[in-house]
Amino acid sequence: MNLTVRILIGMVLGLIVGALIQWVDLPASHWFNRFFTHGLIDAGGDIFVTLLRMMVVPLVLVSLTCGAASLGATGKVGRLGGKTIGLYLLTTAIAVSLALSIALMVEPGASAADEGIPAPEFTAKQAPSFKDTLVDIFPSNPVAAMAEGKMLQVIVFALLLGLALSQVGEAGQRIRQVFEDINAVFMRLITMVLHIAPIGVFCLMVTLGASVGLREVAKLIVYFLTVAGTLVLHMTVVYPLLLRFLAGLDPISYLRKMREPMLVAFSTASSGATLPVTMRTVEHRVGVS
């Protein structure tokens, strides 16, 4: 039984068990809830997500350093970086435009108001200036950036380090080989963590099923369907078009190979926690060097 099937089974069983716990409706002080639902099960899900997040910073640092070191030697890193930034801006613009257009047409908040749900008070934070945003990309202390999980600063440092390694000859080659060996170890570590993914997903789904009431979901059903429908539209229309016309890939084959990161993303609700799984899948299943 492959990992995808086991994750799906863990997801379905977790939702069923969580729904049963909610249906029994034991008080929060009951020993079952204290030691099982909010104890063992909750801890299992948190440990799984923590293990995934544990590898994000070192994996990004090592992988991007290796990539920049190999590309820097061929002079391709500038062109690839420009394409990457352009694609990021394009997909962000499409996603924001699509989401705002559908939200303005559907007005999902109106249904919540009809159900008597009060609108929360919200004050937007002051947007940083362009200068502050630009300066904040570059780390003054790379170690502090890694400790605080500031991924953009970690990425910039990794790219600069990789470029430096590509330009110092034999010494850079020796250090690059060390980084590649470390990268192989991290990929193996990800595989080890993924072996417990069905159990971790089961725990996360039990917690979700036991805490989310159907009545509350029903009150926000229009909002829920708007968000879910927009995400599905983005995944089934926008991404396949980009894959077909920009990358020349078969969208169905690509999405099939990427099913494990998508399932982990759905169950953890964290793009950061899913990043190690994504990088492993992209390298070993999609075929990116």
Side-chain angles (χ1 to χ4, degrees), residues 116-153:
I117 300 176
E121 294 184 4
F122 176 76
T123 303
K125 294 190 297 184
Q126 181 70 32
S129 66
F130 174 75
K131 174 189 172 182
D132 292 340
T133 303
L134 187 63
V135 171
D136 196 48
I137 294 174
F138 298 90
S140 59
N141 187 337
V143 177
M146 287 184 273
E148 296 169 9
K150 295 181 177 179
M151 293 309 304
L152 199 55
Q153 294 186 1

Side-chain angles (χ1 to χ4, degrees), residues 95-269:
V96 171
S97 302
L98 184 65
L100 286 175
S101 299
I102 294 178
L104 290 172
M105 288 188 292
V106 177
E107 294 185 341
S111 64
D114 294 339
E115 293 289 342
I117 300 176
E121 294 184 4
F122 176 76
T123 303
K125 294 190 297 184
Q126 181 70 32
S129 66
F130 174 75
K131 174 189 172 182
D132 292 340
T133 303
L134 187 63
V135 171
D136 196 48
I137 294 174
F138 298 90
S140 59
N141 187 337
V143 177
M146 287 184 273
E148 296 169 9
K150 295 181 177 179
M151 293 309 304
L152 199 55
Q153 294 186 1
V154 174
I155 290 170
V156 170
F157 175 70
L159 293 175
L160 293 174
L161 180 61
L163 284 173
L165 290 177
S166 70
Q167 297 175 14
V168 292
E170 189 176 333
Q173 288 295 325
R174 290 197 300 269
I175 298 176
R176 176 183 163 190
Q177 185 59 53
V178 172
F179 271 84
E180 289 177 352
D181 292 342
I182 296 173
N183 189 50
V185 173
F186 278 127
M187 286 298 174
R188 181 57 190 167
L189 184 57
I190 294 168
T191 303
M192 291 167 57
V193 173
L194 283 181
H195 283 311
I196 65 168
I199 300 173
V201 168
F202 171 80
C203 294
L204 291 169
M205 291 298 106
V206 169
T207 303
L208 179 66
S211 59
V212 177
L214 293 178
R215 286 190 294 271
E216 284 70 25
V217 173
K219 292 178 181 178
L220 298 171
I221 191 65
V222 177
Y223 172 78
F224 171 81
L225 291 177
T226 302
V227 174
T230 307
L231 291 172
V232 170
L233 183 65
H234 195 65
M235 186 183 75
T236 57
V237 177
V238 177
Y239 280 153
L241 289 174
L242 292 174
L243 286 167
R244 172 63 70 186
F245 294 107
L246 292 185
L249 296 175
D250 176 24
I252 302 300
S253 175
Y254 178 83
L255 293 175
R256 188 184 299 117
K257 292 177 180 178
M258 292 295 293
R259 60 184 181 268
E260 285 176 12
M262 289 191 287
L263 287 173
V264 174
F266 177 80
S267 56
T268 61

